[in-house]
């Protein structure tokens, strides 16, 4: 499946790396890659037309902190994404916002101090285009930071997020309600499923949904429609335990159907669901620490392990992974980070070249920022594909805010539907293939941030 393209990294020293996030850092309308450092500065990588080069950004680099991951979301409705930086133990988390000249830490404007983050996801809980950050730290406490006026406040208890849990991987999307639900996999305890209520509060229902999985030590998590029924299912890795593929049935109840080879215990750190070969069906990628990576695909109605090609990495110390179409060719690239126990180089992989068609969709908020948590549904030859715009997934990672659809050998699309967390919808009839479509929020006169 994958071919090594790491030579396209202009600079690739052996270092300890953690999570990877994709967002627009330099306000040019294109996405950059942020790689969390561990004992060294974070990196910002940009495609310059020929290779991935480093951008100089001192505030994001943060040579003092020990960054585990960075999560992006538009907190203040200015059309640009802020950046929540999870720092290890004694180093306080930061929430960076661009004021037009400098990156400012919004925690400096409040008495709230966030310490020792372990996971984060951005959530538009009211469906208004303003995101908060749901985080968990090393003590097991959870927090939800959002702006009130010009000050950050922790509103977790106020909105029903009161569990003490060792949360690791998280996703946020309309999973079992019409708003942004939050599913969190845990270490040393049951998983959490926080169901969204129309008033922006939450109720924990993991037991009711069949997702508690009490005795495992979870890490990476992703969502996909694994059985083609139009509903989102959940796949996640348990550290040295059996991995899970939960299919969603009626009334938001889930059942584990992971086949033996997928479930086989391993040190899975990051999990990604993406259509790498543009055949219209997402694959599942397991990135491991100290063990070979694995790739699974749906073949003849069953999930089977696939030939992963050069991304096997039997000696890789995988700590993070993210996908994006960095070079604009309509196929997803895969960037892997390594570290924790020893420094290793970043790895960049491309799928084998294909002539299969594709469509990429970037929904926007009413303010022109990426509409993370929105849903895109594509109909081709009467068959449906569904994607969620990533608000945080994998583990300490965040994918590009784009729905990537492979079309196989089809050259005509019936329709594209986009659903925002507040219930707003847009339908496009027969969009042209092999393009990136930016879809503004209905009725919004604001152009996409970074574009005329």
């Amino acid at each position: 499946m994958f071919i090594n393209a790491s030579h396209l990294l202009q600079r690739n020293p052996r270092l300890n790396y953690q999570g990877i996030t994709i967002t627009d850092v330099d306000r040019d309308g294109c996405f950059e890659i942020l790689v969390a450092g561990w004992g060294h500065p974070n990196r910002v990588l940009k495609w310059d037309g020929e290779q991935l080069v480093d951008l100089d950004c001192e505030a994001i680099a943060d040579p003092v902190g020990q960054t585990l991951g960075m999560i992006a979301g538009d907190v203040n409705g200015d059309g640009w994404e802020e950046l929540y930086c999870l720092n290890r133990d004694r180093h306080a988390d930061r929430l960076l916002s661009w004021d037009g000249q400098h990156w400012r830490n919004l925690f400096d404007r409040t008495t709230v101090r966030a310490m020792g983050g372990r996971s984060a996801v951005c959530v538009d809980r009211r469906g208004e285009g303003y995101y908060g950050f749901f985080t968990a730290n090393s003590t097991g406490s959870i927090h939800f930071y959002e702006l009130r006026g010009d000050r950050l406040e922790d509103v977790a208890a106020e909105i029903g997020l009161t569990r003490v849990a060792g949360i690791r991987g998280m996703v946020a999307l309309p999973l079992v309600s019409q708003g942004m639900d939050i599913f969190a996999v845990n270490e040393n305890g049951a998983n959490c499923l926080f169901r969204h209520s129309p008033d922006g509060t939450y109720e924990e229902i993991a037991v009711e949904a069949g997702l508690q999985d009490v005795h495992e030590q979870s890490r990476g998590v992703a969502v996909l429609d694994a059985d083609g029924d139009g509903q989102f299912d959940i796949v996640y890795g348990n550290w040295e335990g059996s991995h899970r593929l939960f299919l969603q049935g009626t009334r938001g109840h889930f059942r584990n159907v992971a086949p033996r080879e997928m479930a086989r215990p391993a040190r899975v750190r990051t999990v990604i669901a993406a259509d790498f070969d543009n055949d219209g069906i997402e694959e599942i990628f397991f990135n491991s620490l100290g063990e070979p990576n694995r790739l699974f695909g749906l073949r003849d109605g069953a999930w089977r392990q696939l030939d992963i090609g050069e991304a096997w990495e039997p000696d890789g110390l995988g700590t993070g992974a993210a996908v994006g179409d960095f070079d604009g060719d309509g196929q997803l690239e895969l960037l892997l980070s390594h570290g924790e126990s020893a420094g290793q180089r970043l790895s960049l992989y491309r799928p084998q070249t294909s002539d299969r068609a594709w469509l990429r969709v970037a929904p926007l908020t009413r303010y022109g920022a990426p509409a993370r948590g929105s849903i895109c549904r594509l109909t081709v030859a009467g068959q449906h594909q569904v994607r969620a715009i990533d608000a945080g997934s994998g583990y300490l990672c965040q994918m590009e805010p784009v729905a990537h659809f492979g079309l196989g050998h089809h050259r005509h699309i019936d329709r594209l539907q986009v659903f925002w967390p507040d219930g707003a919808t847009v339908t496009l009839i027969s969009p042209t293939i092999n393009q990136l479509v930016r879809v503004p929020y209905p009725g919004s006169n604001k152009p996409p941030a970074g574009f005329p």
Side-chain angles (χ1 to χ4, degrees):
M1 170 73 77
F2 291 107
I3 299 169
N4 196 327
S6 300
H7 64 280
L8 295 175
L9 289 153
Q10 183 186 55
R11 190 175 70 88
N12 198 7
R14 292 181 179 272
L15 295 171
N16 287 308
Y17 299 105
Q18 296 283 339
I20 302 175
T21 287
I22 301 175
T23 184
D24 184 0
V25 171
D26 60 2
R27 275 54 177 170
D28 69 346
C30 300
F31 298 121
E32 286 73 52
I33 306 166
L34 284 67
V35 185
W38 179 253
H40 64 88
N42 305 319
R43 296 178 65 184
V44 180
L45 303 176
K46 184 178 185 64
W47 182 256
D48 71 351
E50 296 183 354
Q51 58 187 339
L52 287 170
V53 301
D54 283 86
L55 289 187
D56 183 18
C57 185
E58 183 178 355
I60 293 175
D62 186 22
V64 177
Q66 291 187 324
T67 307
L68 291 169
M70 295 172 275
I71 300 296
D74 185 5
V75 171
N76 55 13
D78 66 350
W80 302 108
E81 294 195 300
E82 277 66 47
L83 192 63
Y84 192 97
C85 303
L86 292 149
N87 286 325
R88 181 72 181 266
D89 298 333
R90 68 183 184 276
H91 299 281
D93 291 351
R94 300 181 302 151
L95 180 51
L96 301 179
S97 180
W98 180 255
D99 67 4
Q101 294 183 319
H102 305 283
W103 288 95
R104 304 291 187 186
N105 183 9
L106 296 183
F107 279 114
D108 290 341
R109 302 180 186 177
T110 179
T111 57
V112 173
R113 186 170 173 81
M115 292 295 293
R118 282 294 184 273
S119 53
V121 68
C122 71
V123 182
D124 179 4
R125 68 181 182 89
R126 292 183 297 261
E128 297 175 350
Y130 295 95
Y131 290 82
F133 289 94
F134 178 53
T135 76
N137 65 26
S138 57
T139 68
S141 61
I142 61 178
H143 308 273
F144 194 104
Y145 301 110
E146 65 182 20
L147 276 182
R148 295 208 170 159
D150 62 352
R151 294 177 63 84
L152 274 180
E153 293 190 15
D154 182 359
V155 301
E158 175 185 327
I159 64 177
L161 301 173
T162 57
R163 285 282 299 274
V164 175
I167 293 174
R168 292 299 181 258
M170 290 196 287
V171 292
L173 71 156
L175 183 64
V176 294
S177 78
Q178 292 184 347
M180 287 189 74
D181 308 305
I182 304 167
F183 175 67
V185 294
N186 285 338
E187 183 177 60
N188 300 318
N191 298 330
C192 303
L193 175 57
F194 298 101
R195 181 174 59 195
H196 178 270
S197 298
D199 63 358
T201 61
Y202 286 88
E203 177 186 9
E204 207 287 306
I205 62 162
V207 173
E208 176 184 332
L211 289 169
Q212 65 270 33
D213 206 9
V214 176
H215 302 295
E216 298 293 347
Q217 314 293 323
S218 303
R219 290 295 187 273
V221 59
V223 297
L224 74 162
D225 180 6
D227 57 359
D229 68 351
Q231 298 185 102
F232 284 106
D233 309 305
I234 299 172
V235 57
Y236 62 88
N238 282 317
W239 184 258
E240 298 183 337
S242 296
H243 313 309
R244 311 299 194 196
L245 176 59
F246 277 100
L247 298 186
Q248 183 172 181
T250 58
R251 302 177 187 174
H253 189 273
F254 294 78
R255 61 186 178 91
N256 178 37
V257 299
R260 179 179 300 179
E261 185 54 35
M262 184 184 291
R264 178 173 60 82
R267 293 183 172 184
V268 169
R269 184 65 174 262
T270 301
V271 179
I272 289 176
D275 185 359
F276 292 106
D277 58 6
N278 281 349
D279 67 348
I281 302 173
E282 291 183 287
E283 288 77 47
I284 297 173
F285 174 77
F286 283 174
N287 184 31
S288 298
L289 196 155
E291 299 182 21
N293 301 322
R294 291 186 288 165
L295 183 70
F296 297 89
L298 190 61
R299 300 292 185 268
D300 300 322
W303 283 94
R304 307 181 190 279
Q305 188 165 352
L306 306 179
D307 181 1
I308 199 170
E310 294 180 326
W312 184 46
E313 291 195 351
D315 301 316
L317 301 173
T319 52
V323 295
D325 182 10
F326 307 132
D327 58 6
D329 68 350
Q331 289 190 281
L332 294 174
E333 287 80 49
L334 172 66
L335 183 68
L336 306 184
S337 60
H338 313 88
E340 191 167 291
S341 54
Q344 290 185 338
R345 293 185 174 91
L346 299 170
S347 298
L348 179 66
Y349 295 99
R350 285 174 160 170
Q352 295 176 346
T353 302
S354 167
D355 63 354
R356 291 168 174 166
W358 48 273
L359 184 74
R360 291 168 53 75
V361 186
L364 306 171
T365 68
R366 66 192 72 195
Y367 306 110
R372 297 188 186 268
S374 58
I375 303 299
C376 299
R377 185 183 301 272
L378 197 72
T379 305
V380 178
Q383 300 297 310
H384 305 291
Q385 297 185 47
V386 61
R387 306 280 188 270
I389 303 301
D390 193 59
S393 63
Y395 173 46
L396 297 168
C397 296
Q398 191 180 43
M399 309 301 126
E400 61 175 354
V402 177
H404 181 92
F405 295 98
L407 305 178
H409 297 295
H410 295 287
R411 293 296 184 267
H412 175 78
I413 297 170
D414 299 337
R415 66 180 178 275
L416 166 68
Q417 296 172 288
V418 179
F419 304 86
W420 281 262
D422 67 345
T425 64
V426 164
T427 300
L428 301 179
I429 303 299
S430 301
T432 303
I433 64 171
N434 295 348
Q435 66 164 328
L436 170 64
V437 179
R438 292 180 174 86
V439 185
Y441 182 87
S444 172
N445 294 320
K446 185 176 177 59
F451 291 85

